[in-house]
């Protein structure tokens, strides 16, 4: 019975189902593609009420869905490529090398 009480709270904490978020997140990302003006994090908070970290968690989860690829194949493919390239840089970066964070 106690698990039944937790399920609605857990569902509420997660927010809308991924298919409901998909258009809003992908349209937002399309508007910001390549922009480096530093205001994206504040717009994420204003539009979605999420931290930047949460936004990128949701975005990355959506990028792995077939629905996202069907919705905007060019954008999703580009974002997947960028994600793969960045992951490769992180994997091959040596500690203490120039540019390492």
């Amino acid at each position: 019975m106690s698990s039944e009480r937790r399920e609605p709270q857990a569902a509420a904490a997660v927010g809308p189902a991924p298919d409901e978020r998909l258009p809003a997140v992908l349209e937002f990302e399309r508007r910001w593609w390549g922009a480096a003006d530093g205001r994206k994090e504040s717009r994420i908070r204003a539009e979605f009420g999420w931290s930047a970290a949460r936004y990128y968690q949701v975005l990355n989860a959506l990028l792995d869905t077939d629905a996202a690829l069907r919705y905007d194949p060019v954008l999703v493919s580009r974002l997947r490529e960028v994600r793969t390239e960045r992951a490769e840089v992180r994997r091959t970066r040596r500690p203490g090398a120039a540019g390492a964070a």
Side-chain angles (χ1 to χ4, degrees):
M1 186 176 234
S2 63
S3 65
E4 289 177 284
R5 286 186 211 139
R6 279 184 257 172
E7 283 184 76
Q9 291 172 345
V14 171
D19 57 334
E20 295 170 7
R21 295 186 287 213
L22 185 128
V25 170
L26 290 181
E27 292 300 325
F28 180 86
E29 194 61 30
R30 182 185 298 135
R31 288 193 313 267
W32 283 93
W33 178 257
D37 62 6
R39 296 179 303 159
K40 187 173 183 180
E41 289 185 8
S42 62
R43 291 300 309 150
I44 289 168
R45 177 79 58 195
E47 275 200 43
F48 299 103
W50 300 334
S51 67
R54 178 65 181 145
Y55 170 81
Y56 288 110
Q57 288 172 340
V58 170
L59 175 62
N60 278 302
L62 290 175
L63 291 179
D64 292 331
T65 66
D66 291 334
L69 195 57
R70 284 191 306 272
Y71 184 83
D72 191 334
V74 174
L75 177 67
V76 170
S77 295
R78 192 176 337 152
L79 292 171
R80 285 176 176 180
E81 287 174 25
V82 168
R83 180 177 64 180
T84 300
E85 290 168 6
R86 289 179 179 166
E88 182 62 25
V89 167
R90 283 191 303 274
R91 274 193 299 274
T92 60
R93 185 172 41 203
R94 292 182 311 208

